[in-house]
Amino acid sequence: IVLVGPQDEKFQASKLHQLKNVLFTGLKPQKDLFKYINSFDVCINPQLVNELTIGNYPRKIDEYLAAGKPVVATKTRAMDLFKDYTYLAERKEDYLELIKLALIQDTEELSRE
């Protein structure tokens, strides 16, 4: 799992940092982001749902979909716009199953739609 972008203090203390199969790249220049996105099998956008994030427009989802990537994201009001094109997780436990489903269902034909 490759996670690209900045981390707040709470996330830096996460147990994810102890896992050998999780790589944190930190913040990357905008010009390099497509290289990362293009290498992903599935793009994810996990979020804690709170007053700030519930209505946040996730610009990165546009980039993931434009690249033809399957997307698993946290279900929020803003993500309802993408419900027909993404896999939406209501709980953190949903992510593993939805990622597996995205890997199975993703096809060249689907990514062109």
Side-chain angles (χ1 to χ4, degrees):
I1 298 172
V2 177
L3 299 172
V4 179
Q7 305 173 55
D8 62 22
E9 287 181 25
K10 187 175 182 178
F11 200 69
Q12 288 175 352
S14 155
K15 292 181 181 179
L16 289 172
H17 286 273
Q18 298 168 13
L19 301 175
K20 293 181 181 185
N21 65 334
V22 178
L23 171 68
F24 293 88
T25 68
L27 189 61
K28 293 295 179 187
Q30 182 73 29
K31 65 179 180 58
D32 294 340
L33 294 181
F34 189 73
K35 293 175 195 172
Y36 284 95
I37 293 170
N38 205 31
S39 70
F40 297 153
D41 294 319
V42 175
C43 294
I44 62 172
N45 188 38
Q47 292 188 39
L48 289 175
V49 178
N50 58 38
E51 295 275 326
L52 179 65
T53 62
I54 193 73
N56 245 8
Y57 183 83
R59 186 177 59 116
K60 66 177 78 174
I61 302 300
D62 294 336
E63 296 167 353
Y64 297 161
L65 293 173
K69 296 296 180 174
V71 176
V72 177
T74 303
K75 184 176 183 176
T76 63
R77 284 192 306 258
M79 281 304 300
D80 278 344
L81 294 168
F82 302 99
K83 67 183 178 207
D84 294 335
Y85 309 102
T86 60
Y87 300 85
L88 298 179
E90 294 187 32
R91 305 169 307 130
K92 65 182 179 183
E93 295 82 9
D94 297 338
Y95 265 83
L96 287 178
E97 288 306 313
L98 290 174
I99 290 169
K100 289 177 190 175
L101 187 61
L103 287 168
I104 291 167
Q105 292 180 345
D106 184 48
T107 63
E108 282 281 326
E109 183 178 309
L110 186 61
S111 69
R112 284 192 293 265
E113 288 181 18

